[in-house]
Amino acid sequence: MRSTSNESAEDYLETILMLSKELPVVRSIDVANEMNFKKSSVSVAMKNLRTKEMITVTDAGYIQLTQKGREIAEMIYERHIFLSTWLENLGVDEKTAADDACRMEHVISKDSFAAIKRYVEENK
C-alpha cells in the first residue's frame, strides 16, 4: 500500500491536471480553492512536488506539471474516471462512487487495475 504522502502528492497532481484542462494557467490559490485547503498547506505541498521534480513554478506563480508529474497525474485521473464510472454503472450513487474511486485509485496495483479494465471492456 502507498503512503499517505504519496496519496496526497497524487491528489495534488491530479488536481493540477484537472485545473490545467479548465484554466489558462494554474496557481496555488486555484489548487487551494479546488481542494478546499489552506493556501499555506498548498504552498508546502507545491514545494515538495518541486523538490521531487513533479512540477515547475514560474516566477509569476504558474504551476506546470513536468513529464514525470504529468504521467502520475494522468494515471490517477484515468483510474478515477474509470473507477467512478464503473461504480456508478453498478448502481452506486455519484458522490459515493467518486469518493470510493478517489480512495481506490491510490492503492490498486497496475495489474489489478488493468485486469478490471480489461474485464469491464470485454463484458460491455
Side-chain angles (χ1 to χ4, degrees):
M1 190 190 303
R2 294 174 188 231
S3 71
T4 305
S5 66
N6 277 351
E7 185 174 323
S8 175
E10 290 171 350
D11 283 339
Y12 278 107
L13 293 170
E14 181 184 19
T15 299
I16 293 165
L17 177 68
M18 291 187 313
L19 288 171
S20 72
K21 294 174 186 279
E22 301 169 13
L23 303 172
V25 294
V26 178
R27 300 162 301 150
S28 288
I29 191 68
D30 301 317
V31 175
N33 290 338
E34 180 69 22
M35 298 181 83
N36 201 25
F37 289 169
K38 292 180 184 171
K39 190 167 181 331
S40 57
S41 300
V42 173
S43 293
V44 170
M46 294 304 107
K47 182 176 185 230
N48 290 336
L49 291 175
R50 270 196 325 267
T51 301
K52 294 178 182 176
E53 299 180 346
M54 293 189 190
I55 63 166
T56 58
V57 181
T58 68
D59 291 341
Y62 303 150
I63 302 166
Q64 296 173 321
L65 295 167
T66 63
Q67 183 63 34
K68 180 178 168 184
R70 180 169 295 284
E71 287 172 7
I72 293 168
E74 287 177 349
M75 175 194 68
I76 295 299
Y77 185 68
E78 176 194 15
R79 289 178 177 192
H80 182 86
I81 297 300
F82 181 86
L83 292 168
S84 60
T85 301
W86 177 53
L87 291 169
E88 285 180 50
N89 288 341
L90 292 174
V92 178
D93 72 86
E94 186 177 343
K95 180 170 179 3
T96 302
D99 291 346
D100 288 347
C102 195
R103 286 190 293 277
M104 293 166 65
E105 68 197 25
H106 299 289
V107 296
I108 193 168
S109 71
K110 282 184 180 183
D111 290 344
S112 292
F113 179 72
I116 292 170
K117 189 174 174 183
R118 189 171 47 252
Y119 177 82
V120 169
E121 289 173 353
E122 289 172 358
N123 290 284
K124 281 186 176 176

